[in-house]
Amino acid sequence: ATPGETLDRETNRWHGVNALSLAAGALGVLLGRPGLLLVAVVGVAYGGLALAARPPDVHVELSRELDRHTAAPGDHVRVTVTVRNAGDSLLADLRLVDGVPDAIDVVEGSPRTATSLRPGKAASFAYTVRATRGDHEFDPVTVLARGFSGAIERETAVHARGDAVLTCTPRLDVGDPL
């Protein structure tokens, strides 16, 4: 998703439950087994819950901090991302992927996290990158959120406040005079 765009997707998490429920119901009728019918009713109820699910409203504030803005090639730079639930409802299943520039490698930790956040609460994660020559602008953070059923997920890209560029230039030593 691009910043400001929201994509909603079905996760298909419940499709197997629906199929098994219908099969159990058919077997219950054919074999005259009330227990199988009860299993089918419970499965259909969960399947109905999944069909009625809506994607969660995602209102988050993100910030990204680099422990330094300039580095030499090969230097390690620590990146910390903080997410705060700025909405009114619980984000039961929240997943974040930081937009690490393609030209730099993550050498420690992970630019991904999964959490759940009550309204007003925050969580942070950190990782370390190895600097390479050039100016490297971080992309927006990809945010995936699912409700309690997990039937539908909402994806959006959110710009993080704070540091967005890592500048890497080689150190030049002054040579001996001629």
Side-chain angles (χ1 to χ4, degrees):
T2 58
E5 178 186 17
T6 299
L7 299 173
D8 292 340
R9 284 188 289 273
E10 287 188 28
T11 62
N12 298 326
R13 176 181 273 184
W14 294 96
H15 284 229
V17 171
N18 292 337
L20 289 174
S21 297
L22 292 175
L27 282 174
V29 169
L30 290 174
L31 301 175
R33 300 281 187 147
L36 283 175
L37 285 173
L38 180 60
V39 167
V41 168
V42 170
V44 167
Y46 276 108
L49 172 69
L51 288 174
R54 293 183 19 226
D57 291 328
V58 180
H59 299 288
V60 295
E61 294 174 353
L62 291 158
S63 65
R64 179 187 300 113
E65 294 179 21
L66 308 179
D67 68 352
R68 55 185 153 158
H69 306 286
T70 59
D75 284 354
H76 289 190
V77 178
R78 187 140 177 94
V79 181
T80 303
V81 178
T82 301
V83 58
R84 188 178 81 76
N85 182 352
D88 297 340
S89 58
L90 171 71
L91 294 173
D93 184 354
L94 184 66
R95 299 161 194 234
L96 303 151
V97 180
D98 197 11
V100 180
D102 292 334
I104 58 178
D105 294 325
V106 175
V107 294
E108 183 180 313
S110 175
R112 303 168 178 260
T113 195
T115 188
S116 102
L117 287 176
R118 293 189 314 262
K121 297 298 180 178
S124 296
F125 64 100
Y127 59 96
T128 303
V129 297
R130 181 182 302 116
T132 58
R133 185 178 179 155
D135 292 325
H136 306 286
E137 186 171 348
F138 283 75
D139 292 329
V141 178
T142 300
V143 178
L144 288 168
R146 294 179 182 171
F148 286 105
S149 73
I152 299 176
E153 69 182 7
R154 176 164 283 172
E155 177 182 340
T156 188
V158 179
H159 284 288
R161 289 188 327 259
D163 304 325
V165 178
L166 171 61
T167 301
C168 178
T169 53
R171 291 186 183 102
L172 299 175
D173 294 328
V174 177
D176 293 330
L178 296 174

